[in-house]
Amino acid sequence: MTATNLEIADSRRRQRLDAIQRSLNARHARERRFRLLGLGAVITAMVLVAILFASILVRGVPAFWQATLTLDIYLDPEVIQVDERPVRERGESPAQYRERELAWLNQLGMVNWNALIDEALKAQLPGEIESRQTRDLRALVASGERFALRNRVIENPDLIGQTVSVKLLASANVDVWLKGNIDRSLPDHQQQLSAQTREWADYLKEQGTIRNAFSTALFINTDSRSSPASAGLAGAFMGSLFMMLIVIALSVPLGWPAPSISRSSLPRIA
């Protein structure tokens, strides 16, 4: 092969190498751009998720604080007319004792607990409150709070006849009203609360009887349609927990890798 042919072959080889190098450089550049785009997409997604969670917290955190009334309630024996809590007698079967206990609990269930709360509210409000205003008065307190008062007596019947300090959740409408989430300029027929209830709520807020307090009921109570103020997320939490346990119980066995078979464990064929 002559020198000229060698030069031509070398020149072609260099051209091929240059073409390959340019192709590799272009490929590497595309890969770098792809990585940068992927990294940018991941960072953008994380930023958007952070913004989403921040907006949820900003809007949701105020719900952790609810309007709460602190009242001194006299557990009037004339209103709570029940027998003494039954004590299991010697020789009494569990079924017989349970029957007497249920009868005592039924007596407590018949007590007008709202009347006790009404009297405590009247002591905090100015002026004479007439019987026709009872509905406006009871609109201040969540309807389910009478059961909280009943449960406190069930836990300690010795409180009957005493004055106890009790924290009760305000109704959902009062909570929203005091937080300023309702337009106060709306006419009365467009308001959820009566004019009298709104006036009392503002007065109790100024006096410090109603304060915003962290609501533990949001985490330990179940949902409630009859008393939205005392509704909680316990049911949702438990449902999510059970769903996660079921998913784990199904996915782990299915996703667990099968044991590998080594070549030495295979039978030899003669």
Side-chain angles (χ1 to χ4, degrees), residues 74-76 80 152-153 155-164:
Y74 174 56
L75 302 177
D76 191 352
I80 313 175
R152 185 160 182 177
V153 174
E155 293 174 0
N156 186 6
D158 294 336
L159 294 177
I160 298 176
Q162 302 181 23
T163 299
V164 295

Side-chain angles (χ1 to χ4, degrees), residues 54-187:
S55 63
I56 292 174
L57 288 175
V58 169
R59 296 183 182 182
V61 165
F64 295 135
W65 279 263
Q66 289 182 278
T68 305
L69 298 96
T70 303
L71 299 174
D72 292 329
I73 300 179
Y74 174 56
L75 302 177
D76 191 352
E78 296 297 325
V79 178
I80 313 175
Q81 296 184 0
V82 296
D83 299 331
E84 292 185 2
R85 183 165 192 166
V87 179
R88 187 173 179 179
E89 299 176 354
R90 186 175 182 180
E92 185 180 26
S93 67
Q96 292 174 334
Y97 169 69
R98 182 58 178 168
E99 183 178 357
R100 293 195 301 115
E101 187 181 39
L102 289 175
W104 179 73
L105 292 174
N106 187 54
Q107 290 181 356
L108 286 173
M110 301 299 293
V111 172
N112 188 1
W113 300 103
N114 282 328
L116 301 175
I117 299 175
D118 292 344
E119 292 302 318
L121 285 171
K122 290 176 182 178
Q124 299 293 327
L125 295 171
E128 188 71 20
I129 298 177
E130 302 176 2
S131 58
R132 61 182 178 84
Q133 296 176 301
T134 300
R135 183 175 180 179
D136 297 331
L137 187 67
R138 292 183 179 176
L140 291 168
V141 182
S143 59
E145 291 304 276
R146 65 184 187 273
F147 302 119
L149 185 61
R150 179 202 61 187
N151 293 338
R152 185 160 182 177
V153 174
I154 291 175
E155 293 174 0
N156 186 6
D158 294 336
L159 294 177
I160 298 176
Q162 302 181 23
T163 299
V164 295
S165 179
V166 182
K167 290 185 177 181
L168 303 175
L169 290 176
S171 67
N173 290 328
V174 169
D175 180 68
V176 174
W177 171 260
L178 294 177
K179 287 179 178 177
N181 295 330
I182 294 180
D183 187 0
R184 290 177 173 250
S185 63
L186 292 175

